[in-house]
Amino acid sequence: MTKQLSDVEIAQAHQLQPITDIARSAGIPDEALIAYGTTKAKVDITAIADRPHTGKVVLVTGVSPTPAGEGKSTVLIGLTDALAAAGHKAIVALREPSQGPVMGIKGGAAGGGYSQIVPMEDINLHFTGDFHAIAAATNTLAALIDNHIHQGNALNIDPRRVTWQRCVDVNDRALRHVVTGLGGPTAGVPAETGFTITAASEIMAILGLATSLKDLKERLGNITIGYTYDSQPVTARQLEAEGALTALMRDALNPNLVQTLGGTPAFVHGGPFANIAHGCNTLLATQTAQQFGDIVLTEAGFGADLGGEKFLDIKARFGGIDVAGAVVVVTIRSQKYNGGQAREELSTENLDALSAGIVNVERHVENLRKFGVEPVVALNLFWSDTDAEREFMRTWAKDFGVTLAEADVWSKGGAGATELAHALVENLQEGASHPLYDPEKGVEASIETIAREIYRAERVEYGPQARKDLAYIKANGWENFPVVISKTQYSFSDDPTALGAPSGHTLHVRELLPRTGAGFIVVLTGDVMTMPGLPKEPAANRINVAADGTISGLF
Amino acid sequence: MTKQLSDVEIAQAHQLQPITDIARSAGIPDEALIAYGTTKAKVDITAIADRPHTGKVVLVTGVSPTPAGEGKSTVLIGLTDALAAAGHKAIVALREPSQGPVMGIKGGAAGGGYSQIVPMEDINLHFTGDFHAIAAATNTLAALIDNHIHQGNALNIDPRRVTWQRCVDVNDRALRHVVTGLGGPTAGVPAETGFTITAASEIMAILGLATSLKDLKERLGNITIGYTYDSQPVTARQLEAEGALTALMRDALNPNLVQTLGGTPAFVHGGPFANIAHGCNTLLATQTAQQFGDIVLTEAGFGADLGGEKFLDIKARFGGIDVAGAVVVVTIRSQKYNGGQAREELSTENLDALSAGIVNVERHVENLRKFGVEPVVALNLFWSDTDAEREFMRTWAKDFGVTLAEADVWSKGGAGATELAHALVENLQEGASHPLYDPEKGVEASIETIAREIYRAERVEYGPQARKDLAYIKANGWENFPVVISKTQYSFSDDPTALGAPSGHTLHVRELLPRTGAGFIVVLTGDVMTMPGLPKEPAANRINVAADGTISGLF
């Protein structure tokens, strides 16, 4: 066996095509391309605004994961390369990685092995500056708020009720809870506040859903930054901030174009979390990919119950996207984990656990069908999978009545997804997808529908804060916003230890956060981590740069 | 009289040349150019490393300013265009503007009128991401420090003695003094700390002085982040952070190339403050400009006593730069201000005040001669200047024995600096410039030499903290670092109200801050502002973006 290469070594050994060639191969006109070096570019959306969005959108989603994840992005990238090799005009539309976790545990997030997007070092570090623009806008708004209060507070903002938080793209637990404005009267008004990681900021969610510069400015103006002493919401527009924020976000709004190792065009743009936000790449990037591709493969974070639901109920609804197909990425390990096998034993064959856990993928498939989408199950192979386990999966799929195809994309790239590509194309259907609920029926009805249909809960319980929040949401006319339910990714329920396919449980709603700029209500069912920490041995300690600029230590 | 156009309107009405054409006109090889869109680029320093640094460096500096500033950058840009028009291969090397003040009072900083660098909106907002990279590196290091303490503190760091601060490129006074790490044991260790604006961070100073990626990594590793419980310094290297920080800074190290309105190449790179750091564009950008230009015009912040001294004693010393000429930018208003005329009356002719204040420019000229540099005085014209005042200046220059030339660059661009360009070229001399002091004689001797020769103080007094700091600096072997004296820009003394050319005063040293990464000791003589605030009516409120992306409200 040859030495296993790391992701960054595979990516660096690869000869990238000039991004101008990638763009031309996709049919993107030269005048719409804004190059960032020779291998990255942004596409000027104003230069292509008149092209129809004709590409078929395929949602790549997953089962309830193990803590290691199931390789959704890697399957998506390999699958796109396989589609391209089969003669389809396929384009990737993925989220941008956050730099904070790159320095923490992960060390990099742009696919893996021979199914990567490149240049992976650039994509993982700074990229084209979108996250930095979001942080600049977020922190400028924070400064404008505090300055307004400091300079006389004409809007009567209650400093104790400012909900707007600053952000950085760093895993920094010490910034979760901070007190600012200390140091006396020339240094502002003291306030108890915190920082989120940039991916969790509302402006990230806004970037994800904006359809134009005009729409971006409208949404930025709609942000609720906090409340007055008499409990009235205060918007960024009242602070006259939306013009400056839009200026800071102007370039970030244009989708980023890179390539896969197979030379397929890839739009990598936006990266909101799938708990505090809707968890997918930008609507604009997906629509831009639709303008130039016949098949657009796009991903939603976490399992189909979280990211998949939000993709269909939030992004597809806002953007009028027809979802022509879906891929549920499953691993044998994940289903054994859902069937009760301990995490450290997942490399051992266990057909009983697999048989017990398979209800998990069944549930995800059933759920997607409720949106009018017929998914294909992609079995992402792992070295520890046994022949008997793989045979079990094939038999299960036949019995359950879903198309299953194996994928071996980490080690083979697109060549490992030929069968999956064929299966996907066979299952595409247009015009059948739809959202699950009607927001016009109100926030509680929306929550109840998702809880019943997707999470299979028997009832929804609202805690004391949630009841207050609901009343406040109604009083302010926000009750017809769609909902972003924040829930553990490890279970259909709000209990991360309830694996498999639990039902009959209670969904506990703790708090509701209006996100009037993004245009949704975040529904918290448990603790939500909006600022990760670093581990004892941070990945940063392994990252290095040679004198010629070659970066090592990204995985 | 036609309507006066704003800076951004003038810049937007101008047809920029493709940056590839600008680069070719300068002789920069195509393979060294990393384009950021069509009008900005970085130059890959590794691709041009073997070219000699032959261009003659001209330092553009100024007198003790009025609060409105004297237009150094504007004169520099117009002068470069004039030199180019006269057939010289002239190149600009300037600092990058900070985004924080753009949202505060200034609204933009890239020259003015018809002497600007363009694209001015991009240069003022995000540009090529250098400031963001510095903030990412700075804040990643902060997270690594706090995480180290949180995860067991093997290095025995005293959380009360961590000197490393986070930064953002936002004017946010509420971040000057903060408490982090609140929220209980899972949210880190509580600490009293603060944020600076990015321009004031040590990594900005390091970027300004690094000569290669290897040198950058060395300096990042040398950063002192704080002290142990037994008062030993702790470096970023001990935290194994320098590789990751270098990876975050890799692209930022390459100088940025843009153009003037006259189509002259302009390197705009790095932006350290001239009080807490050395206050000029990067050494690498100046040297890159020397590789491709015959005459390189570069600027130092504040007056010649502050930025000019630091340019010659820090940057030129570190980089072995021969300063072939200097321009002292003076305005009639500034000399009247130094002569006692009230700020609000500066538009009224006052020959008495001018005659009293002219000692200020005399002193700056004398000071520069102490470095072996013969400056030209550039009289930057203002609409309120009277014929009698201009005549006074011409007579004064003849009597004092210095070359003076008028410049009218704001309204005329390069055409307004023809005479100045001629005077400058006549006065160039090579091989005569030298630093003022010898750091080997120790920090106190360095401070005393600057205080005596440049500030014309009679004595230096060290406060109690400064005496402690001095002892600590000696104990750690840092006493041969050069010094960066932080002093008010409004006076040669440390008293901002002592205008003109004070002498015989005492320089009060309050505190000394070792900057072991940058490689200098900061000497504080008064309060130094490292985080500005926003005014009551922030410039952000006027900034806007049209649907086609055109930005307005930058001045």
Side-chain angles (χ1 to χ4, degrees):
Chain A
M1 195 172 165
T2 53
K3 176 182 171 293
Q4 180 106 331
L5 295 176
S6 74
D7 287 355
V8 72
E9 288 167 335
I10 291 169
Q12 285 171 350
H14 178 78
Q15 180 69 44
L16 276 74
Q17 296 176 44
I19 197 65
T20 44
D21 290 359
I22 295 289
R24 275 175 211 143
S25 77
I28 298 167
D30 284 357
E31 63 273 19
L33 203 72
I34 305 162
Y36 282 61
T38 56
T39 57
K40 299 170 299 211
K42 280 186 171 282
V43 174
D44 178 358
I45 52 166
T46 63
I48 52 167
D50 54 346
R51 295 179 69 105
H53 306 161
T54 49
K56 292 177 188 170
V57 171
V58 174
L59 171 65
V60 177
T61 178
V63 295
S64 305
T66 66
E70 309 323 310
K72 285 195 303 288
S73 304
T74 308
V75 168
L76 186 156
I77 293 164
L79 173 55
T80 315
D81 283 348
L83 287 164
H88 297 280
K89 209 173 155 191
I91 299 188
V92 167
L94 274 180
R95 285 187 290 177
E96 304 179 49
S98 169
Q99 201 165 267
V102 169
M103 297 291 155
I105 294 180
K106 301 206 299 182
Y114 291 89
S115 289
Q116 291 188 57
I117 41 173
V118 281
M120 80 87 91
E121 310 95 303
D122 298 49
I123 293 168
N124 279 300
L125 300 173
H126 305 307
F127 199 19
T128 58
D130 297 339
F131 277 50
H132 294 316
I134 291 164
T138 300
N139 297 334
T140 296
L141 180 53
L144 289 167
I145 296 165
D146 279 4
N147 186 59
H148 179 88
I149 298 171
H150 176 79
Q151 302 276 8
N153 201 6
L155 289 172
N156 197 34
I157 298 169
D158 184 347
R160 304 163 306 174
R161 289 195 174 88
V162 171
T163 50
W164 190 250
Q165 294 195 318
R166 292 170 181 83
C167 72
V168 286
D169 193 8
V170 179
N171 283 20
D172 191 346
R173 67 170 67 72
L175 292 179
R176 283 178 197 152
H177 303 284
V178 304
V179 173
T180 57
L182 300 173
T186 62
V189 176
E192 196 180 339
T193 181
F195 286 66
T196 70
I197 194 162
T198 303
S201 75
E202 184 170 1
I203 296 184
M204 176 64 87
I206 290 173
L207 176 72
L209 295 170
T211 53
S212 66
L213 260 179
K214 188 167 171 292
D215 182 53
L216 176 73
K217 186 159 82 179
E218 180 70 19
R219 287 172 187 270
L220 290 168
N222 288 345
I223 290 171
T224 300
I225 62 94
Y227 302 90
T228 62
Y229 280 103
D230 44 0
S231 295
Q232 296 306 301
V234 179
T235 63
R237 187 173 295 108
Q238 288 174 267
L239 287 160
E240 301 175 70
E242 78 273 27
L245 302 187
T246 307
L248 287 167
M249 292 294 296
R250 182 190 67 171
D251 296 344
L253 188 66
N254 285 322
N256 306 302
L257 181 69
V258 289
Q259 63 192 283
T260 68
L261 286 178
T264 308
F267 285 102
V268 178
H269 193 219
F273 279 180
N275 48 13
I276 195 80
H278 58 291
C280 23
N281 70 288
T282 66
L283 178 57
L284 271 175
T286 301
Q287 290 180 331
T288 304
Q290 284 185 279
Q291 291 178 301
F292 297 100
D294 295 333
I295 303 181
V296 173
L297 282 93
T298 190
E299 187 198 343
F302 297 140
D305 55 328
L306 284 168
E309 184 273 319
K310 292 176 180 77
F311 184 93
L312 283 145
D313 275 329
I314 308 263
K315 178 174 165 177
R317 185 200 306 268
F318 277 170
I321 293 178
D322 177 46
V323 178
V327 175
V328 177
V329 178
V330 66
T331 57
I332 286 169
R333 298 167 72 86
S334 73
Q335 297 307 284
K336 293 196 293 188
Y337 181 75
N338 271 287
Q341 192 175 24
R343 189 179 168 187
E344 47 284 354
E345 288 168 10
L346 291 176
S347 298
T348 311
E349 181 176 281
N350 189 333
L351 290 165
D352 289 344
L354 184 56
S355 173
I358 199 75
V359 290
N360 186 263
V361 64
E362 288 179 357
R363 172 74 63 83
H364 286 291
V365 168
E366 286 166 11
N367 280 353
L368 284 166
R369 286 173 176 161
K370 295 188 180 189
F371 294 91
V373 177
E374 178 55 34
V376 169
V377 175
L379 175 57
N380 190 20
L381 295 178
F382 198 74
W383 63 267
S384 62
D385 301 340
T386 68
D387 288 345
E389 288 172 334
R390 289 165 66 178
E391 178 58 31
F392 174 92
M393 293 299 292
R394 283 190 288 268
T395 306
W396 161 78
K398 200 170 294 174
D399 294 349
F400 182 72
V402 71
T403 304
L404 177 139
E406 293 187 339
D408 185 8
V409 291
W410 199 96
S411 53
K412 294 184 183 159
T418 311
E419 187 203 343
L420 176 60
H422 183 74
L424 174 69
V425 172
E426 289 292 304
N427 277 271
L428 291 179
Q429 53 175 2
E430 289 184 84
S433 81
H434 54 78
L436 187 73
Y437 61 85
D438 177 6
E440 293 303 318
K441 295 183 177 161
V443 165
E444 286 164 282
S446 300
I447 296 171
E448 202 199 304
T449 304
I450 297 169
R452 188 182 62 235
E453 298 291 329
I454 305 300
Y455 306 159
R456 315 298 174 104
E458 203 164 292
R459 70 192 72 78
V460 179
E461 266 182 28
Y462 294 88
Q465 182 62 45
R467 282 196 296 272
K468 269 193 239 177
D469 294 339
L470 268 178
Y472 200 79
I473 284 165
K474 286 175 195 171
N476 281 291
W478 297 330
E479 62 186 332
N480 298 128
F481 280 129
V483 295
V484 159
I485 302 185
S486 171
K487 181 185 69 63
T488 174
Q489 70 263 39
Y490 296 115
S491 171
F492 283 101
S493 77
D494 59 15
D495 170 7
T497 66
L499 305 181
S503 58
H505 48 89
T506 298
L507 184 76
H508 303 87
V509 175
R510 212 188 58 187
E511 199 176 345
L512 294 96
L513 310 173
R515 293 284 181 258
T516 54
F520 52 65
I521 306 289
V522 176
V523 180
L524 302 183
T525 67
D527 284 332
V528 56
M529 173 63 73
T530 55
M531 172 53 91
L534 291 169
K536 196 172 168 76
E537 300 287 347
N541 293 2
R542 301 189 304 265
I543 296 173
N544 210 341
V545 187
D548 70 348
T550 304
I551 292 177
S552 55
L554 291 176
F555 294 90
Chain B
M1 197 173 166
T2 53
K3 177 182 170 292
Q4 181 106 328
L5 295 175
S6 73
D7 288 354
V8 71
E9 287 167 335
I10 290 169
Q12 286 171 349
H14 178 78
Q15 180 70 44
L16 276 74
Q17 297 176 43
I19 198 64
T20 44
D21 290 358
I22 296 289
R24 275 175 210 142
S25 77
I28 298 167
D30 283 358
E31 62 273 18
L33 203 72
I34 305 163
Y36 282 62
T38 55
T39 57
K40 300 171 297 212
K42 279 186 171 282
V43 174
D44 179 358
I45 53 165
T46 64
I48 52 167
D50 54 346
R51 296 178 69 104
H53 305 163
T54 48
K56 293 177 189 168
V57 171
V58 174
L59 170 64
V60 177
T61 179
V63 295
S64 304
T66 66
E70 309 324 309
K72 286 195 301 288
S73 306
T74 308
V75 168
L76 187 154
I77 294 164
L79 173 55
T80 316
D81 283 348
L83 286 164
H88 298 279
K89 213 175 153 192
I91 299 189
V92 167
L94 273 181
R95 285 187 290 177
E96 304 179 49
S98 169
Q99 201 166 266
V102 169
M103 298 291 157
I105 293 179
K106 300 206 300 182
Y114 290 89
S115 290
Q116 291 190 56
I117 41 174
V118 281
M120 79 86 92
E121 310 94 304
D122 299 50
I123 294 168
N124 279 299
L125 300 173
H126 306 308
F127 199 16
T128 58
D130 296 338
F131 278 51
H132 293 317
I134 291 164
T138 300
N139 296 334
T140 295
L141 179 54
L144 289 167
I145 296 165
D146 279 4
N147 186 59
H148 179 90
I149 297 170
H150 176 78
Q151 302 277 6
N153 201 6
L155 291 171
N156 196 33
I157 299 168
D158 184 345
R160 303 163 306 174
R161 290 195 174 87
V162 171
T163 50
W164 191 250
Q165 295 196 318
R166 293 171 180 82
C167 71
V168 286
D169 194 9
V170 179
N171 282 22
D172 190 347
R173 68 170 65 75
L175 292 178
R176 283 178 198 154
H177 302 284
V178 304
V179 173
T180 57
L182 301 173
T186 62
V189 176
E192 195 180 338
T193 181
F195 287 65
T196 70
I197 193 163
T198 302
S201 76
E202 184 171 0
I203 296 185
M204 176 63 88
I206 290 173
L207 176 73
L209 294 170
T211 53
S212 66
L213 260 179
K214 187 165 172 292
D215 181 53
L216 176 72
K217 187 159 81 178
E218 179 70 18
R219 288 172 187 270
L220 290 168
N222 288 346
I223 290 170
T224 300
I225 62 94
Y227 302 91
T228 63
Y229 280 104
D230 43 2
S231 296
Q232 296 306 302
V234 178
T235 64
R237 188 174 294 106
Q238 288 174 268
L239 289 160
E240 301 175 69
E242 78 273 27
L245 301 188
T246 308
L248 287 167
M249 290 295 295
R250 182 188 66 169
D251 296 345
L253 189 65
N254 285 321
N256 306 302
L257 181 68
V258 289
Q259 62 192 283
T260 68
L261 285 179
T264 307
F267 286 102
V268 178
H269 192 220
F273 278 180
N275 49 11
I276 195 80
H278 58 290
C280 21
N281 70 287
T282 67
L283 178 56
L284 271 174
T286 301
Q287 290 180 331
T288 305
Q290 285 185 279
Q291 291 178 300
F292 298 99
D294 296 331
I295 303 181
V296 174
L297 282 94
T298 190
E299 187 198 340
F302 297 141
D305 54 328
L306 283 168
E309 184 274 319
K310 292 176 180 78
F311 183 93
L312 284 146
D313 276 328
I314 309 263
K315 177 174 166 178
R317 185 200 306 271
F318 279 169
I321 293 178
D322 177 47
V323 178
V327 175
V328 177
V329 178
V330 65
T331 56
I332 286 168
R333 297 167 73 87
S334 72
Q335 297 306 287
K336 293 195 292 186
Y337 182 74
N338 271 286
Q341 192 175 24
R343 188 177 168 189
E344 46 283 355
E345 287 169 12
L346 291 176
S347 298
T348 311
E349 180 176 283
N350 188 333
L351 291 165
D352 289 342
L354 184 55
S355 172
I358 200 74
V359 289
N360 185 263
V361 63
E362 289 179 357
R363 172 75 63 83
H364 286 291
V365 169
E366 285 168 10
N367 280 353
L368 284 166
R369 287 173 175 162
K370 294 187 180 188
F371 294 91
V373 177
E374 178 56 34
V376 168
V377 174
L379 175 57
N380 190 19
L381 295 178
F382 199 75
W383 64 267
S384 61
D385 301 340
T386 67
D387 287 344
E389 288 172 332
R390 289 165 66 177
E391 178 58 31
F392 175 92
M393 293 299 292
R394 285 190 288 268
T395 306
W396 161 79
K398 199 170 293 176
D399 294 347
F400 182 72
V402 70
T403 305
L404 177 140
E406 293 186 340
D408 186 8
V409 290
W410 199 95
S411 54
K412 294 183 185 162
T418 312
E419 188 203 343
L420 176 61
H422 183 74
L424 174 69
V425 172
E426 289 290 304
N427 278 272
L428 291 179
Q429 52 176 2
E430 288 184 86
S433 82
H434 55 79
L436 187 74
Y437 60 86
D438 177 7
E440 292 304 318
K441 294 185 177 160
V443 166
E444 285 164 281
S446 300
I447 296 170
E448 200 200 307
T449 305
I450 298 169
R452 188 183 60 233
E453 299 292 328
I454 305 299
Y455 306 158
R456 315 298 175 100
E458 200 165 294
R459 70 192 71 78
V460 180
E461 266 182 27
Y462 295 88
Q465 183 61 44
R467 282 196 297 271
K468 270 193 238 175
D469 294 340
L470 268 178
Y472 199 80
I473 284 165
K474 285 175 194 170
N476 281 291
W478 296 330
E479 63 187 330
N480 299 127
F481 280 128
V483 295
V484 159
I485 302 186
S486 171
K487 180 185 69 65
T488 174
Q489 70 263 38
Y490 297 114
S491 172
F492 283 100
S493 77
D494 58 15
D495 170 5
T497 66
L499 304 181
S503 59
H505 47 89
T506 299
L507 185 76
H508 302 87
V509 175
R510 215 188 57 187
E511 198 176 345
L512 293 95
L513 310 173
R515 293 286 181 258
T516 56
F520 52 65
I521 305 289
V522 176
V523 180
L524 302 184
T525 66
D527 284 334
V528 57
M529 173 63 72
T530 57
M531 172 54 91
L534 291 169
K536 195 169 168 78
E537 299 287 347
N541 294 1
R542 300 189 304 263
I543 296 173
N544 210 342
V545 187
D548 70 349
T550 304
I551 292 177
S552 56
L554 292 176
F555 294 89

